[in-house]
Amino acid sequence: MGFASDNGSGVPAAVLDALARANDGAVPGYGDDALSARVTDRLRAVFEAPQAEVRLVPTGSAANALALAVLTPPWGAVWCHRLAHVEVDECGAPEFFTGGAKLSLLDGAHARIDPETLDRALSRAPRSVHQVQPAALSLTTLTECGTAYSAEHLAALAGVAHRHGLGVHLDGARFANALVATGATPAELSWKAGVDVLCLGGTKNGLMAAEAVILFDPARAAEFDLRRKRGGHLLSKHRYLAAQFDAWLEGDLWLDLAARANRAGARLAQGLGAIDGVELRHPVDGNMLFPRWPAEMAEGLRAGGVRFYGGPDPDAPGHETARLVASWNTTDAEIDAALAICRGH
Amino acid sequence: MGFASDNGSGVPAAVLDALARANDGAVPGYGDDALSARVTDRLRAVFEAPQAEVRLVPTGSAANALALAVLTPPWGAVWCHRLAHVEVDECGAPEFFTGGAKLSLLDGAHARIDPETLDRALSRAPRSVHQVQPAALSLTTLTECGTAYSAEHLAALAGVAHRHGLGVHLDGARFANALVATGATPAELSWKAGVDVLCLGGTKNGLMAAEAVILFDPARAAEFDLRRKRGGHLLSKHRYLAAQFDAWLEGDLWLDLAARANRAGARLAQGLGAIDGVELRHPVDGNMLFPRWPAEMAEGLRAGGVRFYGGPDPDAPGHETARLVASWNTTDAEIDAALAICRGH
Amino acid sequence: MGFASDNGSGVPAAVLDALARANDGAVPGYGDDALSARVTDRLRAVFEAPQAEVRLVPTGSAANALALAVLTPPWGAVWCHRLAHVEVDECGAPEFFTGGAKLSLLDGAHARIDPETLDRALSRAPRSVHQVQPAALSLTTLTECGTAYSAEHLAALAGVAHRHGLGVHLDGARFANALVATGATPAELSWKAGVDVLCLGGTKNGLMAAEAVILFDPARAAEFDLRRKRGGHLLSKHRYLAAQFDAWLEGDLWLDLAARANRAGARLAQGLGAIDGVELRHPVDGNMLFPRWPAEMAEGLRAGGVRFYGGPDPDAPGHETARLVASWNTTDAEIDAALAICRGH
Amino acid sequence: MGFASDNGSGVPAAVLDALARANDGAVPGYGDDALSARVTDRLRAVFEAPQAEVRLVPTGSAANALALAVLTPPWGAVWCHRLAHVEVDECGAPEFFTGGAKLSLLDGAHARIDPETLDRALSRAPRSVHQVQPAALSLTTLTECGTAYSAEHLAALAGVAHRHGLGVHLDGARFANALVATGATPAELSWKAGVDVLCLGGTKNGLMAAEAVILFDPARAAEFDLRRKRGGHLLSKHRYLAAQFDAWLEGDLWLDLAARANRAGARLAQGLGAIDGVELRHPVDGNMLFPRWPAEMAEGLRAGGVRFYGGPDPDAPGHETARLVASWNTTDAEIDAALAICRGH
């Protein structure tokens, strides 16, 4: 029973089939193949953005870092939430790819930033030659706390950013989950809300290792291409990246996978919410849950073979905090078994 | 009929099967899975290097750049052949990953460096605070001209490098082809010859996107791990990288694939060598050929659907130079068809 | 009447004289001259550190950034106060020189960090491959709020840092003022307290453009030298840097200059403290004052030709906050004139 | 008798006087002072470039590296002569400041590049995503071999560069010597010849530590300012940089100093040219000489207290090669004494 991460799951059969189909014949490398072109076309259609440029890379850290690098100079500041993946979980990839830009951190409940907080921070940020220059806003949805931004909330934030001259990056490692959670269209949750560059995550939602960077302003693509190559992220046998996305988009499989994961998250949340002693620290908008629970309950789960990230809460003796993530293939039986263990403590 | 690159080919069925087998179950990410451990064990056995550390990444540019970054400080110089892939074809990835080290270029026939050339260059390289400090030697086999280094040649070069205090990197994008070409064992062509870090290429020899970096000195692995993560090259669903290598090593498939490619190269070389007006500019040790031929012959091949890199020879009007690469799945029929076109001109 | 910064002041005559004396003859460049050697000897004696290595550079930002670069790898984190000069006022120089390390920010009253705050933060900092690795602690004294660390306070902080495996950098742009403020010896306020690398500021205390970096562990000097050259901070006519320091150290001129500046700061603080409506936001340990005062008082000072940094307090309508810095050559008359203007409002 | 470098000399009295004059009063820092503004005005007038932006920095390596950084992206190539200071003597400063750009090297007699060589190289440079992109041409005059480019030669090179889309940087560490050597005006040898950014050296021609970067396209200044600060090269007490240049420009002192150095170079060349066994390897256009001479003659000079760079010629047993540089204050007596020693061997 794995709730450690949605990247612990396998991929649906359709993805394996697509790889097998893509395997035939000698085709041009580096993205100059028909399948890669088709993925671009499909994403343009899905996002109602016929002019957008699409680039595929193997990891989310690469997608984010490359996206930020085209939005900020080395002497720029990228504003983001204190808990953002780009700040906390990428070993400084943004600093590396940008040539040493600074991540300027903002607070906000449940890993969401308030537009007022952003506006005040940007208004007070000095911009003399002695300081790094505010250059980009980096948002995430689902956030690191599992919450979703509404399209309106995103638009308000992007509006503030643009007014202050910043570009807007959206880390969408769980963008599909966010779409399902909000009911917004892909366009509404991206360029219509003011997002300039979207990192559309595939890996956490049923792909092997494939992420799409969507540059809504195609003028940024040439620089991205050189940075991607220079970063070692231009795959020669590019068709296998494309094949994954092609299967994912076919028949809205991506949304179906995300819906399954979100439903599993909801079932788990409902079950945990009814158990005494368990507190869900953040609203559960998608497939991520953040319980605080008695240490012995956590131990019982581990003993029962349930895998998740967690550990002692330094501020609440006898308790642990944890992160549980449901996947597209999490079963009701797995959830119910985990809940049964919790109830037993 | 594709001779553009060995990265234009698909993968053998065994690789697809391995991906399908690896797909079951929830497993830990980031390389902490059993399959990844097995690949490490297998490579240690194959290379007779039980202490070596193995790291997988998706591209050869990433493998090379990360390997060089653990061998040179930002103020170091990496000595390599003027035609080396790291110099010519990676858009500055080594400079990026090393933090701005310099590639110092050496000449040598057929993309091979003579030990005397290296020794003289290193003996004359100033090492005051005003200059970058010689830090690493980067070799390639098969070279960019398709030639192989013998184990003895490699050992002589690495000996010079070590004597001058440099570490030794081997770009083995076509290492399997070099093994087949030389008859040397993996150990003889790497650490026994003095190679400190080997980039063992899978992608050009039948994998989708998988390269192994073998650090013969395990003390370098911790830094490599942080650089890999920071470079966006630590794959979360790492099992799919491992599965490719696992299938590749099983029953010496990798050597079988390389042998097929080399045989195809030899057949093509033999055929071209017998055609009037065609000159092979470099010895054909493996699966790469570099003909100079009449422009109309090249045009005829293109018209016949044969794909390869090439263009006008600026020094020989009416002629073109080209690079043809055979793959594990190049057929005799493809070769013979191409030769027939050549003979017709 | 300039209170904008101690870098707005000229230099004492002794410094000009020293430059003139150093001007004679052809001498070796790049620090290989007798005067540079003498400065090293003098600083070793002053700091009771015969093994220390001394390097001179023209700016404080260079000194800090180079010092940090030898203490942290690119994937490291430098912990410092939220208001530290390295974070706020160097346009990302530390990120640039370190190759993209991250500055991790700590809170603390009056720009001082509590050892407990540091210990808790370092204890909780994750150290997996996904995060930057805690590498260095950067402290400042006088702090950005004009306060001094006692030697005991510094030692407690450095002790925590060392216990967690971090190196300790001290930004001593106003180190002489801190010495005077605390009565500690140079050794007590540096290596005896656990400081690994000290940036000893000359420019803000009577020199033209000269800072000394003192590496108490001489093993770090070779890397520093290459980084200094590569950063464009190795001056060819090095004697002129050395001459400044030589005059500064002669007869403890540096301490005399700092004592004058501190006395001026105290006089100003005493005067302001007695004026209704003026609040000093931080203790005045040295030559820096941070008043909050009525906007019209601030305007009156400006109208009267008094120069300082300041502006509206966004949290207190009708008020301004300001920074005033006294210099070695600030006169009582200047102070009294400024105070008279304040009293008139 | 120092012929090691023109940076071994002191400064004329006028420079010391200017520093003393600039010392009075509290003035704004970071270049916002009247003296700095005057230097800008003077250089604009001297170069007949009223729109140019002028920035002062303390070293030539900083000037060059910052200048190149505004001309090339990290994935760019800077084309220069194989012997250029930026390639050979700055410990990788250009790579550091540009974020890892590549220096692409050209051959050419006496350290000068032929326009045809440049044109052919740029015409053949591939520009796909796999390669660094040609971005800048870096020239030097006086060259590293002591030769001068004529204004026509510079213009031809810059024309080729611009036609291929490259910006043009001129390393003018000895620009004043080149002006004297060619008789060209400052404008003719810079922007009128197509130079986009000139590094105008003061240090080697009578200043303590002061170089001016002249950006003929003022649109590049804002980026330069942030890079300069971030590089630690924005001096707070900027007036002392400005004062040096102010004295240097007053009454064409800079040209007078260069003329004296060039005359000394010519006298030395004439003398050496008449001595049997001495070969001058390069034309002597300015103040630099490159003799090949018997080892015992070189030893005799050293024994006689003459200082210069040199050592055994690995290609001519029994001989040494050397570099001698005359300065603004080199005396006829010094030259004649050195020549007498040579004649005695």
Side-chain angles (χ1 to χ4, degrees):
Chain A
M1 285 177 290
F3 295 98
S5 177
D6 27 14
N7 62 36
S9 301
V11 305
V15 173
L16 287 169
D17 293 346
L19 289 175
R21 276 198 310 276
N23 197 44
D24 288 332
V27 303
Y30 305 109
D32 293 334
D33 60 291
L35 200 50
S36 296
R38 189 163 77 183
V39 166
T40 293
D41 288 343
R42 284 190 155 191
L43 283 171
R44 285 174 172 164
V46 162
F47 279 85
E48 309 169 48
Q51 85 301 335
E53 289 291 346
V54 174
R55 297 296 185 270
L56 306 185
V57 294
T59 72
S61 289
N64 283 334
L66 287 166
L68 291 175
V70 299
L71 289 175
T72 179
W75 54 86
V78 176
W79 293 75
C80 63
H81 194 279
R82 179 175 308 285
L83 298 175
H85 198 269
V86 293
E87 165 67 11
V88 172
D89 275 311
E90 300 184 353
C91 195
E95 286 89 343
F96 175 45
F97 280 83
T98 60
K102 189 184 286 290
L103 272 62
S104 292
L105 308 182
L106 296 165
D107 291 306
H110 307 308
R112 281 185 292 225
I113 302 167
D114 280 335
E116 297 72 30
T117 301
L118 177 66
D119 195 30
R120 191 168 51 245
L122 291 177
S123 298
R124 294 188 179 185
R127 290 172 179 245
S128 85
V129 76
H130 303 283
Q131 285 89 32
V132 290
Q133 308 292 302
L137 171 66
S138 178
L139 301 171
T140 312
T141 189
L142 301 187
T143 71
E144 292 299 308
C145 292
T147 52
Y149 279 110
S150 69
E152 295 71 27
H153 195 154
L154 275 187
L157 285 164
V160 172
H162 287 159
R163 191 150 41 78
H164 287 278
L166 285 73
V168 178
H169 161 250
L170 182 59
D171 175 355
R174 295 185 179 93
F175 186 78
N177 304 83
L179 285 178
V180 170
T182 58
T185 67
E188 286 167 352
L189 218 56
S190 58
W191 66 269
K192 287 187 177 173
V195 172
D196 296 300
V197 184
L198 168 67
C199 295
L200 173 61
T203 311
K204 290 190 196 313
N205 190 36
L207 298 186
M208 287 186 178
E211 312 279 313
V213 180
I214 306 183
L215 302 137
F216 293 108
D217 176 357
R220 294 193 166 101
E223 176 180 336
F224 189 94
D225 285 346
L226 291 156
R227 289 190 180 276
R228 179 174 59 166
K229 172 67 191 182
R230 181 174 179 79
H233 288 292
L234 175 58
L235 265 60
S236 58
K237 292 179 167 176
H238 197 271
R239 55 171 139 174
Y240 299 112
L241 272 183
Q244 296 180 58
F245 262 99
D246 195 52
W248 199 65
L249 294 169
E250 174 71 31
D252 282 342
L253 174 60
W254 65 309
L255 298 176
D256 181 46
L257 297 173
R260 287 194 238 171
N262 283 14
R263 275 198 302 271
R267 182 183 188 95
L268 191 54
Q270 193 173 23
L272 287 175
I275 295 174
D276 219 47
V278 178
E279 174 201 358
L280 290 175
R281 297 162 63 214
H282 305 297
V284 179
D285 289 346
N287 62 330
M288 303 169 79
L289 296 92
F290 295 83
R292 176 183 288 115
W293 47 25
E296 56 192 25
M297 190 183 289
E299 282 304 327
L301 286 164
R302 287 191 195 96
V306 182
R307 290 181 37 252
F308 55 92
Y309 284 106
D313 182 344
D315 299 320
H319 286 71
E320 291 198 7
T321 55
R323 187 192 80 163
L324 280 74
V325 190
S327 293
W328 66 273
N329 62 357
T330 302
T331 63
D332 286 357
E334 287 175 300
I335 294 168
D336 295 345
L339 291 172
I341 294 175
C342 291
R343 283 190 207 100
H345 284 274
Chain B
M1 284 177 293
F3 295 96
S5 177
D6 28 14
N7 63 35
S9 300
V11 305
V15 173
L16 288 169
D17 293 347
L19 288 175
R21 274 198 312 277
N23 197 44
D24 287 333
V27 303
Y30 304 111
D32 294 333
D33 59 290
L35 200 50
S36 296
R38 189 163 78 185
V39 166
T40 292
D41 288 343
R42 284 190 154 190
L43 284 171
R44 284 173 172 164
V46 163
F47 279 86
E48 308 168 49
Q51 85 302 335
E53 289 291 347
V54 175
R55 297 295 185 270
L56 306 184
V57 295
T59 72
S61 290
N64 283 334
L66 287 166
L68 291 175
V70 299
L71 290 175
T72 179
W75 53 87
V78 175
W79 293 74
C80 64
H81 193 279
R82 179 175 308 286
L83 298 175
H85 198 269
V86 292
E87 165 67 11
V88 171
D89 275 312
E90 300 185 354
C91 195
E95 287 88 345
F96 175 44
F97 279 83
T98 60
K102 188 184 287 288
L103 272 63
S104 293
L105 307 182
L106 297 165
D107 290 307
H110 308 307
R112 280 185 293 224
I113 302 167
D114 281 334
E116 297 71 30
T117 302
L118 178 65
D119 195 30
R120 191 168 51 245
L122 291 176
S123 298
R124 294 188 180 185
R127 291 173 178 244
S128 85
V129 76
H130 302 284
Q131 285 89 30
V132 291
Q133 308 293 303
L137 171 66
S138 177
L139 300 171
T140 312
T141 189
L142 301 185
T143 70
E144 292 299 310
C145 292
T147 52
Y149 279 110
S150 69
E152 295 70 28
H153 195 155
L154 274 188
L157 286 164
V160 172
H162 287 158
R163 190 152 39 79
H164 287 278
L166 285 73
V168 178
H169 161 251
L170 182 59
D171 176 355
R174 294 184 179 93
F175 186 78
N177 304 83
L179 286 179
V180 170
T182 58
T185 67
E188 286 168 353
L189 217 56
S190 58
W191 67 270
K192 287 187 177 174
V195 172
D196 295 302
V197 184
L198 168 67
C199 295
L200 173 61
T203 311
K204 290 189 195 315
N205 189 36
L207 299 186
M208 287 184 178
E211 311 279 313
V213 180
I214 305 183
L215 302 137
F216 293 108
D217 175 358
R220 292 191 168 103
E223 176 179 337
F224 189 94
D225 286 345
L226 290 156
R227 289 190 179 276
R228 178 175 59 166
K229 172 66 192 182
R230 181 174 179 78
H233 288 291
L234 174 59
L235 265 60
S236 57
K237 292 179 168 176
H238 197 272
R239 57 172 139 175
Y240 299 112
L241 271 183
Q244 296 180 57
F245 262 99
D246 195 53
W248 199 65
L249 293 169
E250 174 70 32
D252 282 343
L253 175 60
W254 65 309
L255 298 176
D256 181 48
L257 297 173
R260 287 194 239 171
N262 283 12
R263 276 197 302 271
R267 184 184 186 95
L268 190 54
Q270 191 173 25
L272 286 176
I275 296 174
D276 219 49
V278 178
E279 171 201 2
L280 290 176
R281 297 163 60 216
H282 306 295
V284 179
D285 289 345
N287 62 329
M288 304 169 77
L289 296 93
F290 294 83
R292 177 183 286 114
W293 48 24
E296 57 193 25
M297 189 183 291
E299 280 305 324
L301 285 164
R302 286 190 196 97
V306 182
R307 291 180 34 250
F308 56 91
Y309 284 105
D313 182 342
D315 299 319
H319 286 71
E320 290 198 8
T321 56
R323 188 192 79 163
L324 279 74
V325 190
S327 293
W328 66 273
N329 61 358
T330 302
T331 63
D332 287 358
E334 287 176 299
I335 293 169
D336 295 346
L339 290 172
I341 295 175
C342 290
R343 284 190 207 99
H345 284 273
Chain C
M1 285 177 289
F3 295 97
S5 176
D6 26 15
N7 62 37
S9 300
V11 305
V15 173
L16 287 170
D17 293 346
L19 288 174
R21 276 199 309 279
N23 196 45
D24 288 334
V27 303
Y30 305 111
D32 294 333
D33 59 291
L35 200 50
S36 296
R38 189 163 77 183
V39 166
T40 293
D41 289 343
R42 285 191 154 192
L43 283 171
R44 285 173 172 165
V46 164
F47 279 85
E48 308 169 48
Q51 85 299 335
E53 290 291 347
V54 174
R55 297 295 184 272
L56 306 185
V57 294
T59 73
S61 290
N64 284 334
L66 287 166
L68 291 175
V70 298
L71 289 176
T72 179
W75 53 87
V78 176
W79 293 75
C80 64
H81 194 280
R82 180 176 307 286
L83 298 175
H85 198 269
V86 292
E87 164 67 11
V88 172
D89 275 312
E90 300 184 355
C91 196
E95 287 89 343
F96 175 45
F97 280 84
T98 60
K102 188 184 287 288
L103 272 61
S104 293
L105 308 181
L106 296 165
D107 290 306
H110 308 308
R112 281 186 291 225
I113 302 168
D114 282 335
E116 298 71 31
T117 301
L118 177 65
D119 195 30
R120 192 167 53 244
L122 291 176
S123 299
R124 294 187 180 184
R127 290 171 178 245
S128 84
V129 77
H130 303 283
Q131 284 89 32
V132 290
Q133 308 292 302
L137 171 67
S138 178
L139 301 170
T140 311
T141 189
L142 301 187
T143 70
E144 291 300 309
C145 291
T147 53
Y149 278 110
S150 69
E152 295 71 28
H153 195 154
L154 275 187
L157 285 164
V160 171
H162 287 159
R163 190 150 41 77
H164 288 276
L166 285 73
V168 178
H169 161 251
L170 181 59
D171 175 355
R174 294 186 180 93
F175 186 78
N177 304 81
L179 285 178
V180 171
T182 58
T185 68
E188 287 168 352
L189 217 56
S190 58
W191 66 271
K192 287 187 177 174
V195 172
D196 296 301
V197 184
L198 168 68
C199 294
L200 173 60
T203 311
K204 290 189 196 314
N205 189 36
L207 298 186
M208 287 184 178
E211 311 280 313
V213 180
I214 306 182
L215 302 137
F216 294 108
D217 175 358
R220 293 193 167 101
E223 176 180 336
F224 189 94
D225 284 346
L226 291 156
R227 288 190 180 277
R228 178 174 61 166
K229 172 66 191 184
R230 182 174 179 77
H233 288 292
L234 175 58
L235 264 60
S236 58
K237 292 179 168 176
H238 197 272
R239 56 172 137 173
Y240 299 111
L241 271 183
Q244 295 180 59
F245 263 99
D246 195 51
W248 199 65
L249 293 168
E250 174 71 30
D252 283 341
L253 174 61
W254 65 309
L255 297 176
D256 181 46
L257 296 173
R260 288 194 238 171
N262 284 13
R263 275 196 302 271
R267 183 183 187 93
L268 190 54
Q270 192 173 25
L272 286 175
I275 295 174
D276 219 46
V278 178
E279 172 201 2
L280 289 175
R281 297 163 61 217
H282 306 295
V284 179
D285 289 347
N287 62 330
M288 303 169 79
L289 296 92
F290 294 84
R292 176 182 288 115
W293 48 25
E296 58 192 26
M297 190 183 290
E299 280 305 325
L301 286 163
R302 286 190 195 97
V306 182
R307 289 180 38 251
F308 55 92
Y309 284 106
D313 183 343
D315 300 318
H319 286 71
E320 290 199 8
T321 56
R323 186 192 81 162
L324 278 75
V325 190
S327 292
W328 66 272
N329 61 357
T330 302
T331 63
D332 287 357
E334 287 175 299
I335 293 168
D336 296 345
L339 290 172
I341 294 175
C342 291
R343 284 192 207 99
H345 283 273
Chain D
M1 283 176 291
F3 295 97
S5 178
D6 27 15
N7 62 36
S9 301
V11 305
V15 174
L16 288 169
D17 293 347
L19 288 175
R21 274 198 311 277
N23 197 44
D24 288 333
V27 303
Y30 305 110
D32 293 331
D33 59 291
L35 200 51
S36 296
R38 189 163 75 185
V39 166
T40 293
D41 289 343
R42 285 190 155 191
L43 283 171
R44 284 173 173 164
V46 164
F47 279 86
E48 307 168 48
Q51 86 302 334
E53 289 291 347
V54 174
R55 297 296 184 270
L56 307 184
V57 294
T59 73
S61 290
N64 284 334
L66 287 166
L68 291 176
V70 299
L71 289 176
T72 178
W75 53 88
V78 175
W79 293 75
C80 63
H81 193 280
R82 180 175 307 287
L83 298 175
H85 198 269
V86 292
E87 165 66 12
V88 171
D89 276 312
E90 299 184 356
C91 195
E95 287 88 344
F96 175 45
F97 280 82
T98 60
K102 188 185 287 289
L103 272 62
S104 293
L105 307 182
L106 296 164
D107 291 306
H110 307 308
R112 280 184 293 226
I113 302 168
D114 280 336
E116 297 72 29
T117 301
L118 177 66
D119 195 30
R120 191 167 52 245
L122 291 176
S123 298
R124 294 187 180 186
R127 292 173 177 242
S128 84
V129 75
H130 302 284
Q131 286 89 31
V132 291
Q133 308 293 302
L137 172 66
S138 177
L139 300 170
T140 311
T141 190
L142 303 184
T143 70
E144 292 299 309
C145 292
T147 52
Y149 279 110
S150 69
E152 296 70 27
H153 195 155
L154 274 188
L157 285 164
V160 171
H162 287 159
R163 191 152 39 79
H164 288 276
L166 285 73
V168 178
H169 161 250
L170 183 59
D171 175 356
R174 294 185 179 93
F175 187 77
N177 304 82
L179 285 178
V180 171
T182 59
T185 67
E188 286 168 351
L189 217 55
S190 57
W191 67 269
K192 286 187 177 174
V195 172
D196 296 300
V197 184
L198 168 67
C199 294
L200 173 61
T203 311
K204 290 189 196 311
N205 189 38
L207 299 187
M208 288 186 178
E211 311 280 312
V213 180
I214 306 183
L215 302 137
F216 293 108
D217 175 357
R220 292 192 167 102
E223 176 179 337
F224 189 94
D225 285 346
L226 290 156
R227 289 190 179 275
R228 178 174 59 164
K229 172 66 193 181
R230 181 176 180 78
H233 288 292
L234 175 58
L235 266 59
S236 58
K237 292 180 169 175
H238 197 271
R239 56 172 137 173
Y240 299 111
L241 272 182
Q244 295 180 58
F245 262 100
D246 195 52
W248 198 65
L249 294 169
E250 176 70 32
D252 282 342
L253 174 61
W254 64 309
L255 297 176
D256 182 47
L257 297 173
R260 288 194 238 169
N262 283 12
R263 276 197 302 271
R267 184 183 186 95
L268 190 55
Q270 193 173 23
L272 286 175
I275 296 174
D276 218 47
V278 177
E279 172 201 2
L280 290 175
R281 298 162 62 216
H282 306 296
V284 179
D285 289 346
N287 62 330
M288 303 169 78
L289 296 93
F290 294 83
R292 176 183 287 113
W293 47 26
E296 57 193 24
M297 189 183 292
E299 281 304 325
L301 286 164
R302 287 191 194 96
V306 182
R307 292 184 30 255
F308 56 92
Y309 284 106
D313 182 342
D315 299 320
H319 285 72
E320 291 198 9
T321 55
R323 187 192 80 163
L324 279 74
V325 190
S327 293
W328 66 272
N329 62 357
T330 302
T331 63
D332 287 357
E334 287 176 299
I335 294 168
D336 296 344
L339 290 172
I341 294 176
C342 291
R343 284 191 207 98
H345 283 275

